[in-house]
Amino acid sequence: MALLEIRNLSVTFRTRGGLFKAVDGVDIVVEPNEVLAIVGESGSGKSVAMLAVMGLLPWTADVTADAMLFDGQDLQTLKPAERRKIIGKDMSMIFQEPMSSLNPCFTVGFQIGEALKTHLGMDKAQRKVRTLELLDQVGITDPERRLAAFPHQLSGGMSQRVMIAMALSCRPKLLIADEPSTALDVTIQAQILDLLVSLKRETGMALVLITHDMGVVAETAERVIVQYAGRQVEQSATIPLFADPHHPYTHGLLAALPERATSSRLPTIPGMVPGQFNRPAGCLFAPRCAHASAICHTTPPPKAGAAMGEALCWTPLVNGMPVGKGAAA
Amino acid sequence: MLIHFLKRLALTIPTFFALMFITFIAIRLVPGDPVEVRVGERGISPERLAQFRAELGLDQPVWKQFLDYVWGILHGDFGKSLVTNEKVMTEFFTLFPATIELSFAAMMFATIIGIPAGAIAAVKRGSRFDQTLMGLSVAGFSMPIFWWGLLLIMLVAERLHLTPVSGRIDLIKFYFEPVTGFMLIDALLSDQKGAFKDALHHLILPMIVLGTVPLAVIARMTRSSMLEVLSEDYVRTARAKGLSPARVIGLHALRNALIPVVTVIGLSVGSLMAGAVLTETIFSWPGVGKWLIEAIGRRDYPALQGGVMLISAIVILVNLGVDVLYGVINPRIRHGA
C-alpha cells in the first residue's frame, strides 16, 4: 500500500483578482522508503501541493481532491485536531529558509523538544536525551552546548540541521523537504542533501524532495514528478526521465543543465510561467514550446501512457523528437 | 549588558540638567509669584511684601536662585513647600503611592485587555470583531481624558450608582493609618470588613479613564505586530509540528509580537504620568498629579520643580528598566547580536 496517495488534487486561492488555481489536478503517490522529487520552476505549485497535504495553507486556499490518503487515513475527513496528531509526527516538513523558519525567541532545545512533548508525551529528562541524540544524528557537533543556543547564533546550514532534527524527532514515515538546500551555500547544499539521503536510509522513512534543481534530482531521487504552472506534466523513474524526457518542458529543463550543454551558450526556455491572468486556453506550456502546433494552443492536451511518462502533451517527445497523433498537424 | 546599562544611565545626566533648567524657567514665566498668590486681592504694604519675598529668597537675582536650586538638588535637597513648609521629598513620597497604585492599575487594565484583544483582532483580521476594535481604539486614543472621565462619572457613578464619584475610599465608613500608602494593601491590612472592596470600587473608574489611551495603543500595536508575525516562517514551522492553534498563536506568534509592544508600554509611562495629573484632578485622587496642579495654582515653586524632577527621574528609570526587560524577551538583544 502506498504511504501517501493523492488523486486529482487542486488548490485554489481566493485572491483580490479572483480565483487562482495554483495546483490543478495533480496525482502524487509516495511509496514507503522511496525518494520522490517534485520538480518545477517558481510558481509551478510544487510547494503548495505539499503544504496542502500538511494542512498548512492559509484559509484563503480551497483544497479539493478525489483522494488524499496518508498511511491508510483519509486526510480530508479527519478533524483538525486528529490531523494535527499526524502532522509533525508521522509526516513532517522542512522548509526553504532555515534561518527564518526557527523561532528567534526560543532555544534550539525547546523547539526540538516541543514535538516530543506534544506527540510522544515525553518528560523533560527524556526530551533532553532524545534531543541530544537527534542533534548528534543530524551532525551537529557539541550538541549539549547547542541545546541552549538561540537561532540567531546558528549558521544557515546549522539551522537547517536543527530543522531536520525537529522534523525527525518523532520518527516520521514521510519527510517533505521543500527546497531544503536552496538558501544555503553550495558546499553546505551538498552536505544537507547527503544528510537527508543517509537519514532516509537509516530510518526507512520516505522522502519527498521539492526542488527546481535537476542536478539535485539526479543525485538523490528515485522517481520524479515534473510540474508546470500547477499541472503535472510528466512523471517517471529518475533514470529513464534523464535518458529520454517525453514532455518538451522536461526536455527544456534538462537541456538547460550546464553539465549537458553541447554549445557554448546554455539553452534556455523562452518566456515565463503563465500567471493568474494570462493562462492559455490549450496546453499551458504551448506559448513557450518549440514543438507547439495549432491544437496545442486551443485544446488542453491528454495524458500520455505510462510508457511515455504520463506526459501531458499532444506530441510527446521520443529521443527529443515529437511523435503521436498531433505530430502531423 | 552591564556596560550598556551604565552607558544608558550616564546619558540621562544631561537630560536631568535640561529638565532642571526648563522647569525652573517655565514656572517663573507664569505671571504672579507665591507671595502675590498668598496675599490675594486684599493688598499689603510694600514693606511687608518685600519682607515676604526676602524670606522666600525671591529677592535674589534669578540666576542665583537657579544656582542655589541646582546646588540643593545635587545635595539631595529639593527644598520645602512654600505652602505647607514640609520637605518636598516627604510630600512627594507620601502622595506617590496613590499615583503608583492608580497608574499600575490602569496599565494592568490596558495590557490585560489590550494584548488579547489585539491578538484576536489580528488572527481574525477583517472580521466584525477586528473592525469594531479598531474603531474603538481610534476613539479611545483620540478622546480627551477629562471629558471621558466626566462622562463616566455622570453615567456610571451618578446615573447608575455603580461606583463612587471620587476619592480612594469612603472616609466616613473606614479609617486606618497608612502603612504602605497603597490603599488596596492598607485596606487589606486594616482588617476592616468591606474596606478592600470599597477601595477597589473607588479605583475602577479612574483606572478605566487613565487606562483608556494605553489600552487603545496597546491593542493597535499588538494587532499590527501580530499580523506581521503571523506570516513569518517560524509560525508555519510551529504549525507543521502539529501544535494546537492556541499554542501556535499564544506562544510562538505572541512571544515575538510582544517585543515591540513592551517597548510601547514602557515608553507610555511618561504619558501615563501626564494622564495621571488629569485623572487625579477629576477624581480627587490624592496623588502627586493632583498635588502638582495645586502647586501650580499656589505658585509653590519648590514643590512644582521638585515634583516634576522626581516624576521625570522615575519615568527615565522606568524606560531604562524597559530596556533591560526588552533584552529578557528578545534573545537577539541579550546576546548582543
Side-chain angles (χ1 to χ4, degrees), chain A residues 280-289 291-301 314:
Chain A
C283 173
L284 294 178
F285 188 60
R288 305 173 70 185
C289 182
H291 308 287
S293 54
I295 190 167
C296 298
H297 291 287
T298 53
T299 320
W314 283 110

Side-chain angles (χ1 to χ4, degrees), chain B residues 11-259:
Chain B
L11 280 175
T12 60
I13 293 171
T15 318
F16 276 117
F17 274 98
L19 263 170
M20 271 192 256
F21 183 70
I22 291 168
T23 46
F24 185 87
I25 295 298
I27 184 144
R28 276 165 179 79
L29 289 177
V30 181
D33 69 14
V35 179
E36 278 175 26
V37 170
R38 218 186 305 175
V39 168
E41 292 180 357
R42 282 172 301 160
I44 190 172
S45 70
E47 294 79 34
R48 285 284 287 155
L49 199 65
Q51 192 194 340
F52 266 143
R53 290 223 161 99
E55 274 172 24
L56 300 175
L58 295 170
D59 55 342
Q60 307 277 343
V62 173
W63 61 266
K64 179 138 197 317
Q65 290 183 36
F66 181 65
L67 287 185
D68 284 346
Y69 174 61
V70 172
W71 189 249
I73 288 186
L74 291 180
H75 290 82
D77 178 15
F78 285 84
K80 285 179 177 172
S81 161
L82 300 182
V83 178
T84 60
N85 216 23
E86 279 268 9
K87 277 190 159 178
V88 170
M89 276 283 230
T90 318
E91 282 210 334
F92 183 88
F93 283 106
T94 315
L95 297 171
F96 195 51
T99 304
I100 300 184
E101 188 171 48
L102 175 59
S103 311
F104 188 74
M107 224 50 210
M108 292 290 279
F109 166 76
T111 30
I112 289 175
I113 298 179
I115 289 176
I120 294 170
V123 172
K124 301 194 178 295
R125 173 153 68 145
S127 67
R128 193 160 294 174
F129 176 82
D130 182 23
Q131 287 166 353
T132 313
L133 186 78
M134 286 307 103
L136 284 178
S137 102
V138 173
F141 187 72
S142 326
M143 221 157 27
I145 289 186
F146 61 89
W147 179 77
W148 176 226
L150 294 177
L151 207 67
L152 281 183
I153 290 178
M154 273 162 57
L155 185 73
V156 181
E158 285 294 313
R159 193 71 61 80
L160 302 173
H161 298 292
L162 290 176
T163 65
V165 175
S166 66
R168 294 177 82 190
I169 196 157
D170 193 337
L171 291 169
I172 298 167
K173 284 192 208 146
F174 307 102
Y175 182 74
F176 38 83
E177 283 299 318
V179 183
T180 59
F182 297 98
M183 190 56 85
L184 288 179
I185 299 174
D186 287 350
L188 272 182
L189 292 177
S190 75
D191 272 339
Q192 294 187 31
K193 226 179 148 206
F196 180 76
K197 203 178 153 199
D198 190 59
L200 205 60
H201 255 139
H202 279 80
L203 183 57
I204 291 174
L205 277 194
M207 172 187 86
I208 294 176
V209 169
L210 184 56
T212 300
V213 172
L215 170 62
V217 175
I218 290 172
R220 273 196 102 77
M221 192 71 204
T222 308
R223 177 183 179 272
S224 68
S225 173
M226 194 73 175
L227 277 179
E228 217 167 280
V229 166
L230 281 175
S231 59
E232 291 284 351
D233 286 347
Y234 52 76
V235 171
R236 185 182 56 188
T237 308
R239 289 173 65 208
K241 276 189 219 173
L243 303 177
S244 67
R247 196 174 165 90
V248 173
I249 293 162
L251 187 71
H252 284 264
L254 194 60
R255 180 73 183 263
N256 285 280
L258 282 187
I259 293 172

Side-chain angles (χ1 to χ4, degrees), chain A residues 84 100-101 103 111 114 119, chain B residues 233 237 241 247 252 256:
Chain A
R84 282 201 301 274
S100 58
S101 293
N103 194 321
Q111 295 192 57
E114 224 180 355
H119 294 296
Chain B
D233 286 347
T237 308
K241 276 189 219 173
R247 196 174 165 90
H252 284 264
N256 285 280

Side-chain angles (χ1 to χ4, degrees), chain A residues 51 54-57 84 87-88 91 93 95 97 100-106 110-112 114-115 117-119 150 152-153 163 166, chain B residues 123 125 232-245 247 251-253 255-256 259 329-337:
Chain A
L51 288 171
M54 289 284 289
L56 294 179
L57 289 172
R84 282 201 301 274
I87 302 300
M91 172 168 41
M93 186 160 179
F95 304 97
E97 297 284 347
S100 58
S101 293
L102 288 169
N103 194 321
C105 280
F106 299 103
F110 175 87
Q111 295 192 57
I112 297 177
E114 224 180 355
K117 188 178 166 189
T118 311
H119 294 296
F150 284 93
H152 69 271
Q153 297 168 309
M163 285 296 292
M166 209 189 283
Chain B
V123 172
R125 173 153 68 145
E232 291 284 351
D233 286 347
Y234 52 76
V235 171
R236 185 182 56 188
T237 308
R239 289 173 65 208
K241 276 189 219 173
L243 303 177
S244 67
R247 196 174 165 90
L251 187 71
H252 284 264
R255 180 73 183 263
N256 285 280
I259 293 172
I329 61 166
N330 188 351
R332 279 165 294 190
I333 299 276
R334 197 180 339 161
H335 295 275

